[in-house]
Amino acid sequence: MTNLSPLAPRDATRIACHAAAADRDGWLHPVQQALIHRRGWLRMLAPRAVGGEERPLPDVVRLEEAIARVDGSTGWTVTLCAGAGWFAGFLPPHLARAILATPRACLAGSGAPTGHADREGDGWRIDGEWDYASGAPMATHFTFNAYLRENGQPLFDADGQPRMLAFVVPKAIVEIVPRWRCVGLVATASHAYRVRGAWVHADHGFVIDPAAARAQGPLYRFPFLPFAFVTLAANVAGMAAHFVDLAAACIARRRNRFGQNEPLIEVPAVRAALDGARDRLDDVRGRFYALLDACWADVAAGGSVADAQAAQMQALAQEWVAAARHAVDTLYPYCGLVAASRDSDINRVWRDFHTASQHALLMPQG
């Protein structure tokens, strides 16, 4: 990772010094939360016309990677909540503007269609429960997918598949279900949430597709799946890079008890494993950003992301995650019991990495 980090050193320090406490407490520290809002990170993908910052996607992805390299829970929460803020580009402008005008606006949510929306008048009656809303405690609005029904019967699209629609709703009609108990990303507080029989106007339903975008900027012509892959992969890779840095420090302090009692870092196989992990991560990272920058340039110039480009971006994102898994799993055995101690920084990063990399989109292919 280049030394020209998009994350200011002072901000990195503020995030890092509260990471252990946030992990113990199960939610981001107030200093971390305040920094997130002060820097506008949750608005950075929303349209300028409705109160967002509409930053270029490659800049956002590099920033998210940099935050995740400092603290996985902060990086993941920023990425998932800023990503939900991107949906403002697909909402009616009056609704998007009202949402972003909310003090300390934050959107959290889930992509799983584990609820139903029944047509009622000029809106929908919502009922369902959804898992994994990262940042749930500070969310002012929640997003989710729901299957559509009318008069109790499912609605179908032109291909005969059940119709599904994305929704955004205010926190007032949502009940948080606190059951986030994963070993890592503890401070994301990615709790479940439910809506029980609440009515919302039809404006609260939206379609995530460039053809349905309400905002006209290039961000909203970028397809959802490539968008999701690049933001999630950058987070996982940032956590892996952090682990490699901490592993190198652990290895430098240890000695090879089964050889000549020399420093472990001087054992050729260990040095090769460390250098190889770094080289592979750097190689994939360079190719990943070269492609992302090229795709973004095409979209910013008025074009679109071709299917072949989208497939290549997905493949590179998965290759970066695979390199990250290889790096972490290869170096962990050399780090000693400190890496297994729940109170150590390296263990927290290890737990965060292995939780984030379980995301369904990042499942190993083949």
Side-chain angles (χ1 to χ4, degrees):
M1 181 175 170
T2 176
N3 290 328
L4 297 176
S5 173
L7 182 64
R10 186 177 181 184
D11 290 348
T13 298
R14 285 175 174 164
I15 293 169
C17 71
H18 297 288
D23 187 72
R24 288 193 301 270
D25 295 342
W27 175 225
L28 296 181
H29 189 276
V31 170
Q32 295 172 322
Q33 296 177 53
L35 178 67
I36 287 169
H37 288 293
R38 189 161 60 248
R39 295 291 179 260
W41 290 338
L42 303 186
R43 301 170 179 268
M44 60 187 173
L45 290 166
R48 284 192 200 91
V50 296
E53 297 187 356
E54 203 168 335
R55 301 187 195 181
L57 183 59
D59 294 354
V60 171
V61 175
R62 286 177 168 92
L63 175 61
E64 291 172 347
E65 180 198 358
I67 299 171
R69 187 165 183 167
V70 173
D71 175 47
S73 282
T74 305
W76 194 259
T77 302
V78 167
T79 296
L80 273 292
C81 294
W86 177 67
F87 297 152
F90 301 88
L91 296 174
H94 75 275
L95 178 59
R97 192 173 294 110
I99 289 172
L100 291 172
T102 306
R104 295 170 73 92
C106 173
L107 283 76
S110 168
T114 52
H116 292 92
D118 289 274
R119 194 189 300 278
E120 185 176 313
D122 57 355
W124 301 93
R125 182 74 60 180
I126 308 292
D127 200 279
E129 187 167 314
W130 296 264
D131 282 321
Y132 313 135
S134 297
M138 70 177 177
T140 59
H141 296 77
F142 286 80
T143 66
F144 52 82
N145 289 317
Y147 286 113
L148 304 183
R149 300 188 299 202
E150 188 168 14
N151 298 322
Q153 299 300 312
L155 298 176
F156 297 93
D157 63 20
D159 297 323
Q161 298 300 311
R163 283 184 59 194
M164 184 176 68
L165 193 63
F167 287 88
V168 60
V169 300
K171 178 183 179 179
I173 68 168
V174 174
E175 177 190 356
I176 294 177
V177 184
R179 59 171 180 240
W180 177 246
R181 297 184 181 90
C182 285
V183 298
L185 297 181
V186 175
T188 65
S190 300
H191 296 308
Y193 58 106
R194 64 170 66 107
V195 178
R196 289 290 182 245
W199 184 90
V200 296
H201 190 272
D203 282 351
H204 289 258
F206 61 100
V207 176
I208 308 167
D209 186 285
R214 302 296 188 97
Q216 301 306 308
L219 267 175
Y220 315 105
R221 295 198 302 274
F222 210 91
F224 174 72
L225 271 180
F227 173 92
F229 271 108
V230 299
T231 55
L232 295 178
N235 263 264
V236 170
M239 294 177 213
H242 191 183
F243 182 89
V244 171
D245 290 342
L246 295 174
C250 283
I251 293 168
R253 292 192 298 268
R254 301 190 72 207
R255 302 190 74 82
N256 181 20
R257 304 300 184 188
F258 298 98
Q260 302 301 314
N261 201 33
E262 74 270 39
L264 190 58
I265 195 71
E266 294 180 7
V267 176
V270 178
R271 169 54 72 180
L274 181 59
D275 291 345
R278 282 175 164 157
D279 290 346
R280 183 175 173 186
L281 283 171
D282 287 345
D283 171 66
V284 185
R285 182 180 187 275
R287 290 185 283 118
F288 172 91
Y289 279 117
L291 178 61
L292 177 59
D293 290 342
C295 289
W296 178 255
D298 289 344
V299 175
S304 60
V305 177
D307 289 345
Q309 284 180 310
Q312 188 181 1
M313 198 173 305
Q314 175 179 334
L316 264 178
Q318 290 172 323
E319 184 182 351
W320 201 10
V321 172
R325 286 193 177 103
H326 174 81
V328 173
D329 293 342
T330 297
L331 297 178
Y332 181 82
Y334 297 117
C335 296
L337 281 175
V338 67
S341 172
R342 188 175 182 88
D343 294 331
S344 67
D345 288 344
I346 192 170
N347 179 262
R348 185 181 68 256
V349 176
W350 183 86
R351 288 186 284 109
D352 289 348
F353 172 84
H354 279 293
T355 301
S357 60
Q358 289 298 106
H359 193 285
L361 281 182
L362 304 179
M363 185 183 303
Q365 302 296 303

